[in-house]
């Protein structure tokens, strides 16, 4: 990131605010003297890099997110910890690569409704961190880190939970074989019936609805978030709003049905954007906006085999399930007017960094008894300097497939997903400059052996300190 001169004044103001927000120093304006900022992390499911207006989609209208990106920070090199749901969520929650907690297994890629395990109790979550600093904490939406009571959000640092505990296509009761298999099912008449997916809706640990009425779930998640904000506006709060959509099956409320030029997928994304706008309006009306940081990103790339019912990674290669850029690079917007310096950020960041960044702002130290992967993005957010992150690891299951170091990404192993190309181990890794060539088309391995040598050293260091956790995804009832 190269700060321009026109931002000098803004930088100074941002720096002062950042320093005031630091633990030990007293905070400025806002409802609560000396309080750390409220945090809202909004996590979409399977939304691709190219699925927001501000990230280049020509027909999906996302005016609220677009405005937040313009008035806040739009990150263009922001990554998740894995290319599928469960491990990606484990990474965000723990600030660690999911392979360390055992939430990236060998036999299964995600947890299922008959999975026996979940996020191990010894893992420290971002919610537990913020609770320690006195935050009220809520998880609204998809959890997917274990559906049994001991693994639910209420046992992982959240005071409150409302949501579907795993993917919205699970507990399916339709006869897939009769219609030519899972990927064909969606084209069959009557596929998009709420009753086909017998997923539970939980409040805290109790099932309150089954099947969850997915037509209203996006709207209800936004409403629950606003209810929690109203109830906890006098204290610091953390809301993790993890939408089940736009993961298939796609459902929208009546109000959004048939409204987007992009079709049903667009309807769904536009309803999510609408809810984000309502939450921002509430924060402003309650005088909370100047002390609240809102982050929007997605858990992994688009589920491409679903065609027009899946999203788009824009100019990035491939999608969900792969370690190509389309699988793991996501839109990411940080919004906090007056606190976060507006900019387009090309520095590297990951969802694991949210753990470290918000722990620091809350004045809680990160665990020092384990390897942490998160880094503090504060310097970039508050206009002080560049991102401390220079490296991104791309794991598939518990295996390291690729590494990005600065501008360059080396693929040691490549593999498609959901019927894509077979696993290929590259004796000479594929090497792309993903800043110049984000579509990963032009292999530079021959031209830049010195870059490959450098990345191999990074890998050797990484593997020397890697202690993989016991596979938590393997066992099923
Ligand atoms: Mg997902």
């Amino acid at each position: 990131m190269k700060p321009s001169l026109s931002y000098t004044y803004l930088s100074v103001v941002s720096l002062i605010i950042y320093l005031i927000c630091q633990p030990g120093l007293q905070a400025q304006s806002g409802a609560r003297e000396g309080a750390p900022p409220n945090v809202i992390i909004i996590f979409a499911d399977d939304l691709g890099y190219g699925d927001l207006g501000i990230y280049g989609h020509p027909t999906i209208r996302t005016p609220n997110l677009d405005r937040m990106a313009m008035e806040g920070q739009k990150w263009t090199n922001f990554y998740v910890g894995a290319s599928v749901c469960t491990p990606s969520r484990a990474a965000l929650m723990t600030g660690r690569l999911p392979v360390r907690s055992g939430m990236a297994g060998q036999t299964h890629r995600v947890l299922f409704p008959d999975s026996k395990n979940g996020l191990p109790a010894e893992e420290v979550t971002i919610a537990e961190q913020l609770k320690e600093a006195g935050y009220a904490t809520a998880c609204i939406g998809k959890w997917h880190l274990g559906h049994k009571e001991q693994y639910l959000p209420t046992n992982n640092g959240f005071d409150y939970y409302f949501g579907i505990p795993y993917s919205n296509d699970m507990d399916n009761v339709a006869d897939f074989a009769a219609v030519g298999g899972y990927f064909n099912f969606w084209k069959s008449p009557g596929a998009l019936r709420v009753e086909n997916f017998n997923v539970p809706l939980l409040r805290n640990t109790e099932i309150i609805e089954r099947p969850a009425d997915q037509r209203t779930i996006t709207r209800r998640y936004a409403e629950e978030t606003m209810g929690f904000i109203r109830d906890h506006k006098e204290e610091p709060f953390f809301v993790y709003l993890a939408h089940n959509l736009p993961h298939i099956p796609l459902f929208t409320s009546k109000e959004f049905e048939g409204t987007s030029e992009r079709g049903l997928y667009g309807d769904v994304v536009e309803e999510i954007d609408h809810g984000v706008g309502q939450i921002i309006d509430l924060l402003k009306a309650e005088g909370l906006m100047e002390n609240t940081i809102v982050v929007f990103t997605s858990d992994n790339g688009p589920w491409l085999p679903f065609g027009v019912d899946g999203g788009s990674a824009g100019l990035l290669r491939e999608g969900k399930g792969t370690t190509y850029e389309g699988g793991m690079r996501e839109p990411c917007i940080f919004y906090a007017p007056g606190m976060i310096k507006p900019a387009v950020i090309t520095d590297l960041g990951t969802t694991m960094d949210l753990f470290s960044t918000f722990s620091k702002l809350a004045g809680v130290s990160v665990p020092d008894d384990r390897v942490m992967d998160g880094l503090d993005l504060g310097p970039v957010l508050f206009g002080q300097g560049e991102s401390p992150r220079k490296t991104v690891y791309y794991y598939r299951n518990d295996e390291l497939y690729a590494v990005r170091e600065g501008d360059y990404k080396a693929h040691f192993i490549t593999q498609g997903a959901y019927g894509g190309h077979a696993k290929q181990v590259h004796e000479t890794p594929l090497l792309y400059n993903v800043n110049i060539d984000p579509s990963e088309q032009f292999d530079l391995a021959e031209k830049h052996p010195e870059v490959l040598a450098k990345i191999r050293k990074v890998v050797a260091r990484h593997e020397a300190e890697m202690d993989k956790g016991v596979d938590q995804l393997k066992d099923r009832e």
Side-chain angles (χ1 to χ4, degrees):
M1 190 186 66
K2 296 185 186 71
S4 76
L5 285 173
S6 63
Y7 276 122
T8 304
Y9 174 69
L10 199 50
S11 291
V12 171
V13 173
S14 300
L15 173 60
I16 291 166
I17 292 169
Y18 178 44
L19 291 173
I20 288 169
C21 284
Q22 290 303 292
L25 298 166
Q26 294 307 295
Q28 73 298 16
S29 53
R32 305 179 309 265
E33 277 296 300
N38 308 307
V39 176
I40 302 175
I41 298 175
I42 305 174
F43 211 36
D45 195 354
D46 293 6
L47 178 96
Y49 189 82
D51 283 328
L52 301 181
I54 193 77
Y55 281 79
H57 200 284
T59 51
I60 299 177
R61 290 163 301 182
T62 51
N64 296 294
L65 289 162
D66 295 357
R67 195 178 313 116
M68 288 162 65
M70 295 293 286
E71 296 172 4
Q73 288 187 357
K74 173 191 172 189
W75 287 58
T76 58
N77 281 289
F78 196 89
Y79 292 88
V80 289
S83 66
V84 290
C85 300
T86 296
S88 175
R89 284 148 207 275
L92 185 152
M93 272 297 123
T94 64
R96 281 151 51 84
L97 286 165
V99 64
R100 299 191 199 277
S101 58
M103 294 301 281
Q106 285 181 317
T107 40
H108 299 299
R109 301 193 71 181
V110 298
L111 291 168
F112 291 91
D114 61 354
S115 291
K116 286 187 175 171
N117 300 314
L119 188 68
E122 61 268 24
E123 290 297 320
V124 178
T125 69
I126 185 172
E128 286 165 342
Q129 289 284 100
L130 295 180
K131 257 211 96 49
E132 202 184 313
Y135 281 63
T137 54
C139 174
I140 315 282
K142 176 172 172 175
W143 178 239
H144 216 177
L145 295 174
H147 66 281
K148 294 191 170 177
E149 185 163 340
Q150 67 267 37
Y151 300 116
L152 286 173
T154 42
N155 266 310
N156 275 296
F158 290 100
D159 301 323
Y160 180 68
Y161 177 53
F162 178 88
I164 297 170
Y166 34 71
S167 296
N168 60 331
D169 65 333
M170 291 182 171
D171 292 323
N172 42 62
V173 293
D175 183 1
F176 293 137
V179 289
Y182 184 76
F183 289 103
N184 270 333
F185 166 70
W186 313 91
K187 296 168 203 149
S188 61
L192 285 182
R193 288 172 58 239
V194 164
E195 294 73 24
N196 285 336
F197 310 92
N198 195 33
V199 288
L201 178 66
L202 274 64
R203 191 182 299 282
N204 296 319
T205 58
E206 303 297 321
I207 296 178
I208 58 165
E209 190 176 301
R210 190 165 199 169
D213 186 347
Q214 294 199 43
R215 292 166 299 191
T216 58
I217 204 68
T218 299
R219 174 168 60 71
R220 285 190 285 170
Y221 285 170
E223 286 168 357
E224 286 282 330
T225 300
M226 291 190 282
F228 190 84
I229 292 169
R230 284 191 196 98
D231 290 348
H232 296 277
K233 62 186 177 187
E234 305 298 337
E235 54 194 318
F237 58 81
F238 166 51
V239 181
Y240 169 52
L241 165 55
H243 280 291
N244 274 94
L245 292 154
H247 188 294
I248 56 90
L250 301 174
F251 287 103
T252 60
S253 59
K254 271 264 167 291
E255 195 188 340
F256 284 86
E257 224 175 80
T259 56
S260 174
E261 287 180 79
R262 166 61 175 84
L264 180 55
Y265 185 89
D267 297 344
V268 171
V269 175
E270 290 180 19
E271 184 166 19
I272 289 172
D273 178 78
H274 176 74
V276 173
Q278 289 180 310
I279 293 164
I280 299 297
D281 286 348
L282 175 68
L283 291 169
K284 287 179 177 170
E286 295 284 357
L288 296 166
M289 196 66 252
E290 64 263 42
N291 199 35
T292 303
I293 299 178
V294 183
V295 186
F296 180 93
T297 186
S298 174
D299 71 330
N300 53 250
W303 208 352
L304 298 175
F306 285 99
V308 295
D309 289 332
S312 164
L315 80 177
L316 304 180
R317 183 167 174 181
E318 266 285 353
K320 173 176 176 171
T322 76
T323 48
Y324 292 106
E325 291 296 286
M328 292 179 62
R329 198 196 297 201
E330 287 300 322
C332 183
I333 297 164
F334 287 86
Y335 178 69
M339 212 186 313
I340 284 177
K341 178 193 162 185
V344 174
I345 304 295
T346 60
D347 287 17
L348 301 184
T350 73
T351 49
M352 291 169 281
D353 302 331
L354 302 177
F355 185 103
S356 308
T357 304
F358 292 127
S359 292
K360 182 162 186 202
L361 284 173
V364 184
S365 39
V366 299
D368 58 4
D369 61 345
R370 62 198 71 199
V371 177
M372 297 299 297
D373 296 290
L375 297 169
D376 176 21
L377 301 179
V380 186
L381 297 178
F382 307 112
Q384 289 179 304
E386 58 183 41
S387 172
R389 178 166 295 285
K390 307 297 171 201
T391 310
V392 177
Y393 298 101
Y394 304 70
Y395 274 84
R396 177 171 173 139
N397 295 353
D398 64 348
E399 205 172 356
L400 185 64
Y401 271 42
V403 174
R404 176 170 180 180
E405 179 69 17
D407 297 353
Y408 289 94
K409 176 178 176 185
H411 289 271
F412 297 88
I413 306 171
T414 51
Q415 188 173 356
Y418 313 107
H421 77 80
K423 182 175 180 177
Q424 283 180 278
V425 178
H426 302 279
E427 202 180 316
T428 301
L430 308 175
L431 183 70
Y432 300 111
N433 181 325
V434 283
N435 278 343
I436 289 171
D437 175 25
S439 307
E440 301 176 279
Q441 298 295 310
F442 308 104
D443 185 7
L444 301 170
E446 244 176 69
K447 195 175 168 195
H448 288 301
E450 79 290 355
V451 174
L452 273 183
K454 187 181 168 196
I455 295 179
R456 282 190 197 277
K457 277 188 194 156
V458 170
V459 171
R461 272 202 305 275
H462 176 71
E463 287 184 336
E465 58 78 32
M466 176 51 69
D467 185 13
K468 293 182 184 178
V470 177
D471 185 348
Q472 301 297 319
L473 311 187
K474 184 176 75 218
D475 295 333
R476 295 171 70 169
E477 308 282 1

